[in-house]
Coordinates of all heavy atoms in Angstrom, one line a residue:
M1147 N -14.5 3.7 -5.6 CA -13.4 2.9 -5.1 C -13.9 1.7 -4.2 O -14.6 2.0 -3.3 CB -12.4 3.7 -4.3 CG -11.2 3.0 -3.9 SD -9.8 3.3 -5.1 CE -8.5 2.4 -4.2
L1148 N -13.6 0.5 -4.7 CA -14.0 -0.6 -3.9 C -13.3 -0.7 -2.6 O -12.1 -0.5 -2.5 CB -13.8 -1.9 -4.7 CG -14.8 -2.1 -5.9 CD1 -14.3 -3.4 -6.7 CD2 -16.2 -2.4 -5.4
K1149 N -14.0 -1.0 -1.6 CA -13.4 -1.2 -0.2 C -13.3 -2.7 0.1 O -14.3 -3.4 0.0 CB -14.2 -0.5 0.8 CG -13.7 -0.4 2.1 CD -14.5 0.6 3.0 CE -13.9 0.8 4.3 NZ -13.8 -0.5 5.1
E1150 N -12.1 -3.2 0.4 CA -12.0 -4.6 0.7 C -12.7 -4.9 2.0 O -12.7 -4.1 2.9 CB -10.5 -4.9 0.8 CG -9.8 -4.9 -0.6 CD -8.4 -5.2 -0.5 OE1 -8.0 -6.1 0.3 OE2 -7.5 -4.5 -1.1
P1151 N -13.2 -6.1 2.0 CA -13.9 -6.5 3.3 C -12.9 -6.5 4.5 O -11.8 -6.8 4.3 CB -14.4 -7.9 3.0 CG -13.6 -8.4 1.8 CD -13.2 -7.2 1.1
E1152 N -13.5 -6.1 5.6 CA -12.6 -6.0 6.8 C -12.5 -7.4 7.5 O -11.6 -7.7 8.2 CB -13.1 -4.9 7.7 CG -12.8 -3.6 7.2 CD -13.4 -2.4 8.0 OE1 -13.9 -2.8 9.0 OE2 -13.3 -1.3 7.5
S1153 N -13.5 -8.2 7.3 CA -13.5 -9.5 7.9 C -14.1 -10.5 7.0 O -14.9 -10.2 6.1 CB -14.2 -9.5 9.3 OG -15.5 -9.9 9.1
M1154 N -13.8 -11.7 7.2 CA -14.3 -12.9 6.3 C -15.8 -13.0 6.6 O -16.4 -13.6 5.7 CB -13.6 -14.1 6.6 CG -12.1 -14.1 6.3 SD -11.8 -13.7 4.6 CE -11.9 -15.3 3.8
D1155 N -16.3 -12.5 7.6 CA -17.8 -12.6 7.9 C -18.5 -11.8 6.9 O -19.8 -12.1 6.6 CB -18.2 -12.1 9.3 CG -17.5 -12.8 10.4 OD1 -17.1 -14.0 10.1 OD2 -17.4 -12.4 11.5
E1156 N -17.9 -10.9 6.2 CA -18.7 -10.0 5.3 C -18.7 -10.6 3.9 O -19.3 -10.0 3.0 CB -17.9 -8.6 5.2 CG -18.0 -7.8 6.5 CD -17.1 -6.6 6.4 OE1 -17.0 -6.0 5.3 OE2 -16.6 -6.2 7.4
C1157 N -18.0 -11.7 3.7 CA -17.9 -12.2 2.3 C -18.2 -13.7 2.3 O -17.6 -14.4 3.1 CB -16.6 -11.8 1.6 SG -15.2 -11.9 2.6
A1158 N -18.9 -14.2 1.3 CA -19.1 -15.6 1.1 C -17.9 -16.2 0.4 O -17.7 -17.4 0.5 CB -20.3 -15.8 0.2
F1159 N -17.1 -15.4 -0.2 CA -15.9 -15.9 -0.9 C -14.9 -14.8 -0.9 O -15.2 -13.7 -1.2 CB -16.3 -16.3 -2.4 CG -15.2 -16.8 -3.3 CD1 -14.8 -18.0 -3.2 CD2 -14.6 -15.8 -4.1 CE1 -13.8 -18.4 -4.1 CE2 -13.6 -16.2 -5.0 CZ -13.1 -17.5 -4.9
F1160 N -13.6 -15.2 -0.8 CA -12.6 -14.2 -0.8 C -11.3 -14.9 -1.4 O -11.0 -16.0 -1.0 CB -12.3 -13.7 0.5 CG -11.2 -12.6 0.6 CD1 -11.6 -11.3 0.4 CD2 -9.9 -13.0 0.7 CE1 -10.5 -10.3 0.4 CE2 -8.9 -12.0 0.8 CZ -9.2 -10.7 0.6
T1161 N -10.6 -14.2 -2.3 CA -9.4 -14.7 -2.8 C -8.4 -13.6 -3.1 O -8.8 -12.6 -3.5 CB -9.6 -15.7 -4.0 OG1 -8.4 -16.4 -4.3 CG2 -10.1 -14.9 -5.2
R1162 N -7.2 -13.9 -2.8 CA -6.1 -12.9 -3.2 C -5.1 -13.7 -3.9 O -4.5 -14.7 -3.4 CB -5.5 -12.3 -1.8 CG -4.5 -11.2 -2.1 CD -3.9 -10.8 -0.8 NE -4.8 -10.3 0.2 CZ -5.1 -9.0 0.2 NH1 -4.7 -8.2 -0.7 NH2 -6.0 -8.5 1.1
R1163 N -4.9 -13.2 -5.1 CA -4.0 -14.1 -6.0 C -3.0 -13.4 -6.8 O -3.2 -12.2 -7.1 CB -5.0 -14.8 -7.0 CG -6.0 -15.7 -6.3 CD -5.4 -17.0 -5.9 NE -5.1 -17.7 -7.1 CZ -5.9 -18.5 -7.8 NH1 -7.2 -18.6 -7.4 NH2 -5.6 -19.1 -9.0
I1164 N -2.0 -14.1 -7.2 CA -1.1 -13.5 -8.2 C -1.0 -14.6 -9.3 O -0.7 -15.8 -9.0 CB 0.4 -13.3 -7.7 CG1 0.4 -12.3 -6.6 CG2 1.2 -12.9 -8.8 CD1 1.7 -12.1 -5.9
L1165 N -1.5 -14.3 -10.4 CA -1.7 -15.3 -11.5 C -0.4 -15.5 -12.2 O 0.6 -14.8 -12.1 CB -2.8 -14.9 -12.5 CG -4.1 -14.7 -11.9 CD1 -5.1 -14.3 -12.9 CD2 -4.6 -15.8 -11.1
D1166 N -0.3 -16.6 -13.1 CA 0.9 -16.9 -13.8 C 1.4 -15.8 -14.7 O 2.5 -15.7 -15.0 CB 0.7 -18.2 -14.7 CG 0.5 -19.4 -13.8 OD1 0.9 -19.4 -12.6 OD2 -0.1 -20.4 -14.3
D1167 N 0.4 -14.9 -15.2 CA 0.8 -13.8 -16.1 C 1.2 -12.5 -15.3 O 1.3 -11.5 -15.8 CB -0.2 -13.5 -17.1 CG -1.5 -13.0 -16.5 OD1 -1.6 -13.0 -15.3 OD2 -2.4 -12.6 -17.3
N1168 N 1.3 -12.8 -14.0 CA 1.7 -11.7 -13.1 C 0.5 -10.7 -12.8 O 0.7 -9.7 -12.2 CB 2.9 -10.9 -13.5 CG 3.8 -10.5 -12.4 OD1 3.8 -11.1 -11.3 ND2 4.5 -9.4 -12.5
T1169 N -0.6 -11.1 -13.1 CA -1.8 -10.2 -12.7 C -2.0 -10.4 -11.3 O -2.0 -11.6 -10.8 CB -3.1 -10.7 -13.6 OG1 -2.9 -10.4 -14.9 CG2 -4.3 -10.0 -13.0
K1170 N -2.2 -9.4 -10.6 CA -2.5 -9.4 -9.1 C -3.9 -9.0 -8.9 O -4.3 -8.1 -9.5 CB -1.6 -8.5 -8.3 CG -0.1 -9.0 -8.5 CD 0.8 -8.0 -7.8 CE 2.3 -8.3 -8.1 NZ 3.1 -7.2 -8.4
L1171 N -4.6 -9.8 -8.1 CA -6.0 -9.4 -7.8 C -6.5 -9.8 -6.5 O -5.9 -10.8 -5.8 CB -6.9 -10.0 -8.9 CG -7.0 -11.5 -9.0 CD1 -8.2 -12.1 -8.2 CD2 -7.0 -12.0 -10.4
V1172 N -7.5 -9.1 -6.1 CA -8.3 -9.5 -4.9 C -9.7 -9.6 -5.3 O -10.2 -8.7 -6.0 CB -8.2 -8.5 -3.8 CG1 -8.9 -8.9 -2.5 CG2 -6.7 -8.1 -3.5
A1173 N -10.4 -10.7 -5.0 CA -11.8 -10.8 -5.4 C -12.6 -11.3 -4.3 O -12.1 -12.2 -3.5 CB -11.9 -11.8 -6.6
W1174 N -13.8 -10.8 -4.1 CA -14.7 -11.3 -3.0 C -16.1 -11.1 -3.4 O -16.5 -10.2 -4.2 CB -14.3 -10.5 -1.7 CG -14.7 -9.1 -1.7 CD1 -15.8 -8.6 -1.1 CD2 -13.9 -8.0 -2.2 NE1 -15.8 -7.2 -1.2 CE2 -14.7 -6.8 -1.9 CE3 -12.7 -7.8 -2.8 CZ2 -14.3 -5.6 -2.2 CZ3 -12.2 -6.6 -3.1 CH2 -13.0 -5.5 -2.8
V1175 N -16.9 -12.0 -2.8 CA -18.4 -12.0 -3.0 C -19.0 -11.6 -1.6 O -18.9 -12.3 -0.7 CB -18.8 -13.4 -3.4 CG1 -20.4 -13.4 -3.5 CG2 -18.2 -13.8 -4.7
P1176 N -19.6 -10.4 -1.6 CA -20.3 -10.0 -0.3 C -21.4 -11.0 0.1 O -22.1 -11.4 -0.8 CB -20.8 -8.6 -0.6 CG -20.1 -8.1 -1.8 CD -19.7 -9.3 -2.6
T1177 N -21.4 -11.2 1.3 CA -22.5 -12.2 1.8 C -23.8 -11.8 1.4 O -24.2 -10.6 1.4 CB -22.4 -12.3 3.4 OG1 -21.1 -12.5 3.8 CG2 -23.3 -13.3 3.9
G1178 N -24.6 -12.8 0.9 CA -26.0 -12.6 0.5 C -26.2 -12.0 -0.9 O -27.3 -11.6 -1.3
T1179 N -25.1 -11.9 -1.6 CA -25.2 -11.3 -3.1 C -24.7 -12.4 -4.1 O -24.1 -13.4 -3.7 CB -24.3 -10.1 -3.3 OG1 -22.9 -10.5 -3.2 CG2 -24.5 -9.1 -2.1
N1180 N -24.9 -12.1 -5.3 CA -24.4 -13.0 -6.3 C -23.5 -12.1 -7.3 O -23.4 -12.4 -8.4 CB -25.5 -13.6 -7.1 CG -25.0 -14.8 -8.0 OD1 -24.1 -15.5 -7.5 ND2 -25.4 -14.9 -9.2
I1181 N -22.8 -11.2 -6.6 CA -21.8 -10.4 -7.4 C -20.5 -10.6 -6.8 O -20.3 -10.9 -5.7 CB -22.2 -8.9 -7.4 CG1 -22.2 -8.4 -5.9 CG2 -23.5 -8.6 -8.1 CD1 -22.1 -6.9 -5.9
V1182 N -19.4 -10.3 -7.7 CA -18.1 -10.4 -7.3 C -17.4 -9.1 -7.5 O -17.7 -8.5 -8.5 CB -17.3 -11.6 -8.0 CG1 -17.3 -11.5 -9.5 CG2 -15.9 -11.7 -7.4
N1183 N -16.7 -8.6 -6.5 CA -15.9 -7.4 -6.6 C -14.5 -7.8 -6.9 O -14.0 -8.7 -6.2 CB -16.0 -6.6 -5.3 CG -17.4 -6.0 -5.1 OD1 -18.1 -5.6 -5.9 ND2 -17.8 -6.1 -3.8
I1184 N -13.9 -7.2 -7.9 CA -12.6 -7.5 -8.2 C -11.7 -6.3 -8.3 O -12.0 -5.3 -8.9 CB -12.4 -8.3 -9.6 CG1 -13.4 -9.5 -9.7 CG2 -11.0 -8.6 -9.9 CD1 -13.8 -9.9 -11.0
K1185 N -10.6 -6.3 -7.6 CA -9.6 -5.3 -7.7 C -8.4 -5.9 -8.3 O -7.9 -7.0 -7.8 CB -9.2 -4.7 -6.3 CG -10.2 -3.7 -5.8 CD -9.9 -3.3 -4.4 CE -9.0 -2.1 -4.4 NZ -9.0 -1.5 -3.0
Y1186 N -7.8 -5.4 -9.4 CA -6.8 -6.0 -10.1 C -5.7 -5.1 -10.5 O -5.9 -3.9 -10.7 CB -7.3 -6.9 -11.2 CG -7.9 -6.0 -12.3 CD1 -7.0 -5.7 -13.4 CD2 -9.1 -5.6 -12.3 CE1 -7.5 -4.8 -14.4 CE2 -9.6 -4.7 -13.3 CZ -8.8 -4.3 -14.4 OH -9.3 -3.5 -15.3
A1187 N -4.5 -5.7 -10.8 CA -3.4 -5.1 -11.5 C -3.1 -5.9 -12.6 O -2.6 -7.1 -12.4 CB -2.2 -4.7 -10.6
C1188 N -3.4 -5.5 -13.8 CA -3.2 -6.4 -15.0 C -1.8 -6.7 -15.3 O -0.9 -5.9 -15.3 CB -3.9 -5.6 -16.2 SG -3.8 -6.6 -17.8
G1189 N -1.5 -8.0 -15.5 CA -0.2 -8.5 -15.8 C 0.3 -8.1 -17.2 O 1.4 -8.1 -17.5
N1190 N -0.7 -7.8 -18.1 CA -0.4 -7.4 -19.5 C -0.1 -6.0 -19.6 O 0.9 -5.6 -20.2 CB -1.6 -7.8 -20.3 CG -1.4 -7.7 -21.7 OD1 -0.3 -8.1 -22.3 ND2 -2.3 -7.1 -22.5
C1191 N -1.0 -5.1 -19.1 CA -0.8 -3.7 -19.4 C -0.3 -2.9 -18.1 O 0.0 -1.7 -18.2 CB -2.1 -3.1 -20.0 SG -3.4 -3.0 -18.7
K1192 N -0.3 -3.6 -17.0 CA 0.3 -3.1 -15.8 C -0.7 -2.0 -15.1 O -0.3 -1.5 -14.1 CB 1.7 -2.4 -15.9 CG 2.7 -3.3 -16.6 CD 2.9 -4.6 -15.9 CE 3.9 -5.4 -16.7 NZ 3.8 -6.9 -16.4
K1193 N -1.8 -1.8 -15.7 CA -2.8 -0.9 -15.1 C -3.6 -1.6 -14.1 O -3.9 -2.8 -14.2 CB -3.6 -0.3 -16.2 CG -2.9 0.4 -17.3 CD -2.8 1.9 -17.0 CE -2.1 2.6 -18.3 NZ -2.1 4.0 -18.1
S1194 N -4.1 -0.9 -13.2 CA -5.0 -1.5 -12.2 C -6.5 -1.0 -12.4 O -6.7 0.1 -13.0 CB -4.5 -1.2 -10.8 OG -4.3 0.2 -10.6
G1195 N -7.3 -1.8 -11.9 CA -8.8 -1.4 -12.1 C -9.6 -2.1 -11.1 O -9.1 -2.9 -10.3
E1196 N -10.9 -1.8 -11.3 CA -11.9 -2.4 -10.4 C -13.1 -2.8 -11.2 O -13.5 -2.1 -12.1 CB -12.3 -1.5 -9.3 CG -11.2 -1.0 -8.4 CD -11.7 0.0 -7.4 OE1 -12.8 0.6 -7.5 OE2 -10.9 0.3 -6.5
I1197 N -13.7 -4.0 -10.9 CA -14.8 -4.5 -11.6 C -15.8 -5.1 -10.6 O -15.3 -5.8 -9.7 CB -14.4 -5.5 -12.6 CG1 -13.5 -5.0 -13.8 CG2 -15.6 -6.3 -13.3 CD1 -13.0 -5.9 -14.8
T1198 N -17.0 -4.8 -10.9 CA -18.1 -5.5 -10.1 C -18.9 -6.3 -11.2 O -19.4 -5.6 -12.1 CB -19.0 -4.6 -9.3 OG1 -18.1 -4.0 -8.4 CG2 -20.0 -5.4 -8.5
Q1199 N -19.1 -7.6 -11.0 CA -19.9 -8.3 -12.0 C -20.6 -9.5 -11.4 O -20.3 -9.8 -10.2 CB -19.0 -8.7 -13.2 CG -17.9 -9.7 -12.8 CD -17.0 -10.1 -13.9 OE1 -16.8 -9.5 -14.9 NE2 -16.5 -11.4 -13.8
E1200 N -21.4 -10.2 -12.2 CA -22.1 -11.4 -11.7 C -21.0 -12.4 -11.3 O -20.0 -12.6 -12.0 CB -23.0 -11.9 -12.8 CG -23.9 -13.0 -12.3 CD -24.8 -13.5 -13.4 OE1 -24.8 -12.9 -14.5 OE2 -25.3 -14.7 -13.2
F1201 N -21.2 -13.1 -10.2 CA -20.3 -14.1 -9.7 C -20.5 -15.4 -10.5 O -21.5 -16.0 -10.4 CB -20.5 -14.3 -8.3 CG -19.5 -15.4 -7.7 CD1 -18.2 -15.3 -8.0 CD2 -20.0 -16.3 -6.8 CE1 -17.3 -16.2 -7.4 CE2 -19.1 -17.2 -6.3 CZ -17.8 -17.2 -6.6
Q1202 N -19.5 -15.9 -11.2 CA -19.5 -17.1 -11.8 C -18.2 -17.7 -11.6 O -17.1 -17.1 -11.5 CB -19.7 -17.0 -13.3 CG -21.2 -16.7 -13.6 CD -21.3 -16.5 -15.2 OE1 -20.5 -16.0 -15.8 NE2 -22.5 -16.9 -15.6
K1203 N -18.1 -19.1 -11.6 CA -16.8 -19.8 -11.4 C -16.5 -20.5 -12.7 O -17.3 -21.1 -13.3 CB -16.9 -20.7 -10.2 CG -16.7 -20.1 -9.0 CD -16.4 -21.2 -7.9 CE -16.0 -20.5 -6.6 NZ -15.8 -21.5 -5.5
P1204 N -15.2 -20.5 -13.2 CA -14.2 -19.7 -12.6 C -14.5 -18.2 -12.9 O -15.0 -17.9 -13.9 CB -12.9 -20.1 -13.2 CG -13.4 -20.6 -14.6 CD -14.8 -21.2 -14.4
I1205 N -13.9 -17.3 -11.9 CA -14.1 -15.9 -12.2 C -13.3 -15.5 -13.4 O -12.2 -15.8 -13.6 CB -13.5 -15.1 -10.9 CG1 -14.4 -15.4 -9.7 CG2 -13.6 -13.6 -11.2 CD1 -13.8 -15.0 -8.4
T1206 N -14.1 -14.9 -14.3 CA -13.4 -14.5 -15.6 C -13.7 -13.0 -15.8 O -14.9 -12.6 -15.7 CB -13.9 -15.3 -16.7 OG1 -13.7 -16.7 -16.5 CG2 -13.3 -15.0 -18.0
F1207 N -12.8 -12.2 -16.1 CA -13.1 -10.8 -16.4 C -12.2 -10.2 -17.5 O -11.1 -10.8 -17.8 CB -13.1 -9.9 -15.1 CG -11.7 -9.8 -14.4 CD1 -10.9 -8.7 -14.7 CD2 -11.3 -10.8 -13.6 CE1 -9.7 -8.6 -14.0 CE2 -10.1 -10.8 -13.0 CZ -9.3 -9.6 -13.2
I1208 N -12.6 -9.1 -18.0 CA -11.8 -8.4 -19.0 C -11.2 -7.2 -18.5 O -11.8 -6.4 -17.9 CB -12.8 -8.0 -20.3 CG1 -13.6 -9.2 -20.7 CG2 -12.0 -7.4 -21.3 CD1 -12.8 -10.3 -21.4
C1209 N -9.9 -7.0 -18.7 CA -9.1 -5.9 -18.3 C -9.8 -4.6 -19.0 O -10.0 -4.6 -20.2 CB -7.7 -6.0 -18.6 SG -6.8 -4.4 -18.3
Q1210 N -10.2 -3.7 -18.1 CA -10.9 -2.5 -18.7 C -9.9 -1.6 -19.5 O -10.4 -0.8 -20.3 CB -11.5 -1.7 -17.6 CG -12.6 -2.4 -17.0 CD -13.1 -1.8 -15.7 OE1 -12.3 -1.3 -14.9 NE2 -14.4 -1.7 -15.4
N1211 N -8.6 -1.8 -19.3 CA -7.7 -1.0 -20.1 C -7.3 -1.6 -21.4 O -7.3 -1.0 -22.4 CB -6.5 -0.7 -19.2 CG -5.5 0.2 -19.9 OD1 -5.8 1.4 -20.1 ND2 -4.3 -0.3 -20.1
C1212 N -6.8 -2.8 -21.3 CA -6.2 -3.4 -22.5 C -7.1 -4.5 -23.2 O -6.9 -5.0 -24.2 CB -4.8 -4.0 -22.3 SG -4.8 -5.5 -21.3
G1213 N -8.2 -4.9 -22.4 CA -9.1 -5.8 -23.0 C -8.8 -7.3 -22.9 O -9.4 -8.1 -23.5
C1214 N -7.6 -7.6 -22.2 CA -7.2 -9.0 -22.1 C -8.1 -9.7 -21.2 O -8.6 -9.1 -20.2 CB -5.7 -9.2 -21.9 SG -5.4 -8.7 -20.2
K1215 N -8.3 -11.0 -21.5 CA -9.1 -11.8 -20.6 C -8.4 -12.4 -19.5 O -7.3 -13.0 -19.7 CB -9.8 -12.9 -21.5 CG -10.8 -13.7 -20.8 CD -11.4 -14.7 -21.8 CE -12.4 -15.6 -21.1 NZ -12.9 -16.7 -22.1
I1216 N -8.9 -12.3 -18.3 CA -8.2 -12.8 -17.1 C -9.1 -13.8 -16.5 O -10.3 -13.6 -16.2 CB -7.9 -11.7 -16.2 CG1 -7.0 -10.6 -16.8 CG2 -7.3 -12.2 -14.9 CD1 -6.9 -9.3 -16.2
V1217 N -8.5 -15.0 -16.4 CA -9.3 -16.1 -15.7 C -8.6 -16.5 -14.4 O -7.4 -16.7 -14.3 CB -9.3 -17.4 -16.7 CG1 -10.1 -18.4 -16.0 CG2 -9.8 -17.0 -18.0
V1218 N -9.4 -16.5 -13.4 CA -8.9 -16.9 -12.1 C -9.2 -18.3 -11.8 O -10.3 -18.8 -11.4 CB -9.6 -16.0 -11.0 CG1 -8.9 -16.3 -9.6 CG2 -9.5 -14.5 -11.3
E1219 N -8.2 -19.1 -12.2 CA -8.4 -20.6 -12.0 C -8.5 -21.1 -10.6 O -7.8 -20.5 -9.8 CB -7.2 -21.3 -12.6 CG -6.9 -20.9 -14.1 CD -7.2 -21.9 -15.1 OE1 -7.8 -22.9 -14.7 OE2 -6.8 -21.8 -16.2
P1220 N -9.4 -21.9 -10.3 CA -9.5 -22.5 -8.9 C -8.2 -23.0 -8.5 O -7.4 -23.7 -9.2 CB -10.5 -23.5 -9.0 CG -11.3 -23.3 -10.2 CD -10.3 -22.6 -11.2
L1221 N -7.8 -22.7 -7.2 CA -6.5 -23.1 -6.7 C -6.3 -24.7 -6.7 O -5.3 -25.2 -7.0 CB -6.3 -22.6 -5.3 CG -5.9 -21.2 -5.1 CD1 -5.9 -20.9 -3.7 CD2 -4.5 -21.0 -5.7
N1222 N -7.5 -25.3 -6.5 CA -7.3 -26.8 -6.3 C -7.1 -27.5 -7.7 O -6.9 -28.7 -7.7 CB -8.5 -27.4 -5.6 CG -9.8 -27.0 -6.3 OD1 -9.8 -26.6 -7.4 ND2 -10.9 -27.2 -5.5
K1223 N -7.1 -26.7 -8.7 CA -6.9 -27.3 -10.0 C -5.4 -27.1 -10.4 O -5.0 -27.7 -11.5 CB -7.8 -26.7 -11.1 CG -9.2 -27.3 -11.0 CD -9.9 -27.1 -12.3 CE -11.3 -27.7 -12.2 NZ -12.2 -27.2 -13.2
R1224 N -4.7 -26.4 -9.7 CA -3.3 -26.2 -10.1 C -2.5 -27.4 -9.8 O -2.6 -28.0 -8.7 CB -2.8 -24.9 -9.3 CG -3.5 -23.7 -9.6 CD -2.9 -22.5 -9.0 NE -2.3 -21.7 -10.0 CZ -1.3 -20.8 -9.7 NH1 -1.0 -20.6 -8.5 NH2 -0.8 -20.0 -10.7
R1225 N -1.7 -27.8 -10.7 CA -0.8 -28.9 -10.5 C 0.6 -28.6 -10.9 O 0.9 -27.5 -11.5 CB -1.3 -30.1 -11.3 CG -2.5 -30.8 -10.7 CD -3.0 -31.9 -11.5 NE -3.6 -31.3 -12.8 CZ -3.9 -32.0 -13.8 NH1 -3.9 -33.3 -13.7 NH2 -4.4 -31.5 -14.9
G1226 N 1.5 -29.5 -10.6 CA 2.8 -29.3 -11.1 C 3.7 -28.3 -10.3 O 4.7 -27.9 -10.6
R1227 N 3.1 -28.0 -9.2 CA 3.8 -27.0 -8.3 C 4.8 -27.8 -7.4 O 4.4 -28.8 -6.8 CB 2.8 -26.3 -7.4 CG 2.2 -25.2 -8.2 CD 2.5 -23.9 -7.6 NE 2.5 -22.8 -8.6 CZ 2.7 -21.5 -8.2 NH1 3.0 -21.2 -7.1 NH2 2.8 -20.7 -9.2
R1228 N 6.0 -27.3 -7.4 CA 6.9 -28.0 -6.5 C 6.7 -27.6 -5.1 O 6.6 -26.4 -4.8 CB 8.4 -27.6 -6.9 CG 8.9 -28.5 -8.1 CD 10.1 -27.8 -8.6 NE 9.8 -26.5 -9.2 CZ 10.7 -25.7 -9.6 NH1 12.0 -25.9 -9.5 NH2 10.3 -24.5 -10.1
K1229 N 6.5 -28.6 -4.3 CA 6.2 -28.3 -2.9 C 7.1 -29.1 -2.1 O 7.3 -30.3 -2.1 CB 4.7 -28.7 -2.6 CG 4.0 -27.9 -1.7 CD 2.6 -28.2 -1.5 CE 1.9 -27.1 -0.8 NZ 0.4 -27.4 -0.7
K1230 N 7.8 -28.4 -1.2 CA 8.8 -29.1 -0.4 C 8.3 -29.1 1.0 O 7.7 -28.1 1.5 CB 10.1 -28.3 -0.5 CG 11.1 -28.8 -1.5 CD 12.4 -28.2 -1.4 CE 13.3 -28.6 -2.6 NZ 14.5 -27.8 -2.7
K1231 N 8.4 -30.3 1.5 CA 8.0 -30.4 3.0 C 9.1 -29.8 3.8 O 10.2 -30.3 3.7 CB 7.7 -31.8 3.3 CG 6.2 -32.2 3.0 CD 5.9 -33.5 3.6 CE 4.4 -33.8 3.3 NZ 4.1 -35.1 3.8
S1232 N 8.7 -28.9 4.6 CA 9.8 -28.4 5.6 C 9.6 -29.1 6.9 O 8.6 -29.5 7.3 CB 9.5 -26.9 5.8 OG 8.2 -26.6 6.2
K1233 N 10.8 -29.3 7.4 CA 10.8 -30.0 8.7 C 11.6 -29.3 9.7 O 12.5 -28.6 9.4 CB 11.5 -31.3 8.5 CG 10.5 -32.5 8.8 CD 11.2 -33.8 8.9 CE 10.3 -34.8 9.4 NZ 10.8 -36.1 9.5
Ligands
ZN655 ZN1 -4.7 -4.9 -19.0

């Protein structure tokens, strides 16, 4: 069972996301490594799982249960989001 980092000091990269297909995931790269740990709940089959693999951007992995490909698009590439300025 993967343990989520307790502080940002332990990881070079950390993201917590809900993707457009409703896949929920947490991914992080422990400091000094080139691997990414991913904990996810697949939006397709609703099963959750854990994966450790080589870190590449964008993070892409295959659901171990249903085999669907999940791509974690970088946040800064997302467009078309309605954003209201609150005052
Ligand atoms: Zn799946």
Side-chain angles (χ1 to χ4, degrees):
M1147 185 94 175
L1148 287 172
K1149 191 171 180 293
E1150 289 181 41
E1152 284 172 10
S1153 94
M1154 295 304 273
D1155 296 343
E1156 296 171 32
C1157 42
F1159 175 84
F1160 181 91
T1161 190
R1162 188 186 295 275
R1163 301 278 294 276
I1164 300 175
L1165 304 182
D1166 291 341
D1167 67 355
N1168 215 30
T1169 296
K1170 296 176 186 136
L1171 65 94
V1172 186
W1174 70 98
V1175 177
T1177 307
T1179 72
N1180 193 39
I1181 57 160
V1182 59
N1183 294 318
I1184 304 158
K1185 284 175 86 163
Y1186 67 93
C1188 178
N1190 184 45
C1191 67
K1192 315 296 179 199
K1193 302 263 184 181
S1194 52
E1196 300 176 347
I1197 292 178
T1198 299
Q1199 63 180 28
E1200 190 183 344
F1201 179 47
Q1202 285 177 323
K1203 276 194 173 180
I1205 297 168
T1206 304
F1207 63 98
I1208 305 292
C1209 173
Q1210 291 168 321
N1211 184 63
C1212 70
C1214 72
K1215 188 177 175 186
I1216 299 165
V1217 181
V1218 186
E1219 308 247 11
L1221 278 176
N1222 56 16
K1223 282 199 178 161
R1224 299 186 109 195
R1225 282 178 294 175
R1227 282 241 151 177
R1228 277 165 294 172
K1229 217 174 193 180
K1230 273 187 184 168
K1231 272 193 177 172
S1232 54
K1233 242 191 171 180

